[in-house]
Amino acid sequence: MHQPVAASLADFAAVLLVGARQVGKSTLAAQLVEEGILVANTTLDDAAVLAAALSDPQGFVAGLAHGTAIDEVQRVPDLLRAIKLAIDRDRQRGRFLLTGSANVLSLPTTTES
């Protein structure tokens, strides 16, 4: 199940995985960490993580390890701008797996990112 995502991470700096709630996005991210394809998994469902991302999106992204999954990314739309800036500065493949249960591309603040 994770092979297309792993292949995309090998080709792109960021991969966005969007789907309905409870279909296995978070489980897939955890599996990719277990298999060493990603190194870390963080969720914006965690109140402390959410607060950090909301208060300083650029600082939050700068503190993430290369190969981090960010779950429920739609909760902090400004993160997409910070991720875009980080990728513009360093285009290494496999930097971020972004997951969400809402179409983040339709959010008003993400039109440019």
Side-chain angles (χ1 to χ4, degrees):
M1 172 176 155
H2 71 282
Q3 290 176 347
V5 175
S8 293
L9 286 165
D11 289 336
F12 300 101
V15 174
L16 176 62
L17 181 62
V18 178
R21 295 192 60 75
Q22 302 297 313
V23 296
K25 298 177 304 295
S26 301
T27 301
L28 182 129
Q31 183 181 7
L32 291 170
V33 171
E34 285 178 23
E35 294 180 12
I37 296 166
L38 294 172
V39 300
N41 190 9
T42 189
T43 179
L44 296 174
D45 282 337
D46 179 304
V49 174
L50 178 62
L54 285 168
S55 69
D56 182 9
Q58 282 187 290
F60 178 81
V61 169
L64 296 175
H66 177 96
T68 295
I70 305 172
D71 192 31
E72 298 298 340
V73 71
Q74 80 279 351
R75 298 194 73 194
V76 185
D78 286 342
L79 272 182
L80 296 176
R81 195 172 302 123
I83 290 167
K84 179 189 179 299
L85 181 61
I87 291 170
D88 286 348
R89 291 179 178 160
D90 180 2
R91 295 189 178 274
Q92 290 184 40
R93 297 175 188 155
R95 291 190 66 191
F96 305 104
L97 172 64
L98 312 174
T99 71
S101 57
N103 187 351
V104 295
L105 299 177
S106 68
L107 297 173
T109 57
T110 62
T111 56
E112 193 173 303
S113 300

